[in-house]
Amino acid sequence: SLVAIFSVSVTPYSRNEILNQAVSEFAEQNAALSNSVLEATARGESIPKIDYIVQNSNMLRNGFAATQFSHEIGHTIVTRMKQLNVTGPILIPSPITGLTATVNRIKDPFPTRQDLLQFAVSGPLLGMLTSVLLMYVGLQLTPNTKEAIPLLPLLPISLLKQSTLASGLVDSVLGSGFVD
């Protein structure tokens, strides 16, 4: 599952032609890419474009993990406040989505439907709040220089246009008309 999360984190960078070209040039210069990277790393050399991709994809991966963790914390807070008999989250890797799913087993029936509703809604709400917060922080950290923009990961603009919240947040931080 960790490999799947890493691949989901690297995918936006694979759409960037400048980064792809830099990695391809490195591969052409060095016949055996894996051996060259290992040898360069062993010598303490840095491979700038590959290092850039790995470091930034780690930030994406950590964002996925933080969102999942906060989702589970939301459920845990309600179970502690209401003293509900529920197991802790059991991790289930999902190679299809690249993320990890979790299951909380309910040991005893909830006393009221209100308790069940609060348990069910708390995780997604806290996860969504974390996701929006991370998106805002990421947009604030986005460099807005002509030199840095070509190195950013590329995502289809249609993803942003599907969400009024996401496109509104991007427009408010990066300037109106950015999504159009």
Side-chain angles (χ1 to χ4, degrees), residues 48-109:
K49 300 294 184 193
I50 294 174
D51 288 346
Y52 176 84
I53 293 169
V54 170
Q55 288 170 357
N56 287 302
S57 64
N58 284 339
M59 286 192 289
L60 289 173
R61 185 195 67 223
N62 293 341
F64 290 141
T67 302
Q68 179 71 35
F69 181 72
S70 66
H71 174 105
E72 295 309 322
I73 290 295
H75 290 307
T76 304
I77 289 170
V78 170
T79 58
R80 299 280 164 91
M81 283 176 35
K82 300 284 186 176
Q83 298 177 349
L84 303 171
N85 195 6
V86 177
T87 65
I90 301 167
L91 296 174
I92 302 172
S94 174
I96 295 171
T97 63
L99 302 174
T100 304
T102 56
V103 174
N104 295 325
R105 287 190 46 219
I106 300 171
K107 292 181 178 180
D108 296 327

Side-chain angles (χ1 to χ4, degrees), residues 13-27:
Y13 292 94
S14 68
R15 297 174 187 250
N16 188 319
E17 292 179 20
I18 294 172
L19 293 175
N20 277 335
Q21 183 178 0
V23 172
S24 296
E25 287 172 5
F26 181 81

Side-chain angles (χ1 to χ4, degrees), residues 157-176:
I157 200 73
S158 61
L159 288 176
L160 287 176
K161 288 184 177 183
Q162 290 176 0
S163 170
T164 304
L165 176 64
S167 60
L169 192 58
V170 168
D171 276 345
S172 69
V173 174
L174 297 180
S176 65

Side-chain angles (χ1 to χ4, degrees), residues 56 59 134-144 148 152 173-174:
N56 287 302
M59 286 192 289
L134 288 173
M135 183 176 178
Y136 179 77
V137 169
L139 289 170
Q140 289 293 330
L141 294 175
T142 299
N144 204 7
L152 294 176
V173 174
L174 297 180

Side-chain angles (χ1 to χ4, degrees), residues 106-123:
I106 300 171
K107 292 181 178 180
D108 296 327
F110 290 162
T112 66
R113 287 185 181 184
Q114 186 69 26
D115 291 342
L116 177 61
L117 177 67
Q118 288 177 356
F119 175 78
V121 171
S122 62

Side-chain angles (χ1 to χ4, degrees), residues 119-138:
F119 175 78
V121 171
S122 62
L125 281 179
L126 194 55
M128 194 166 38
L129 189 79
T130 302
S131 180
V132 170
L133 179 67
L134 288 173
M135 183 176 178
Y136 179 77
V137 169

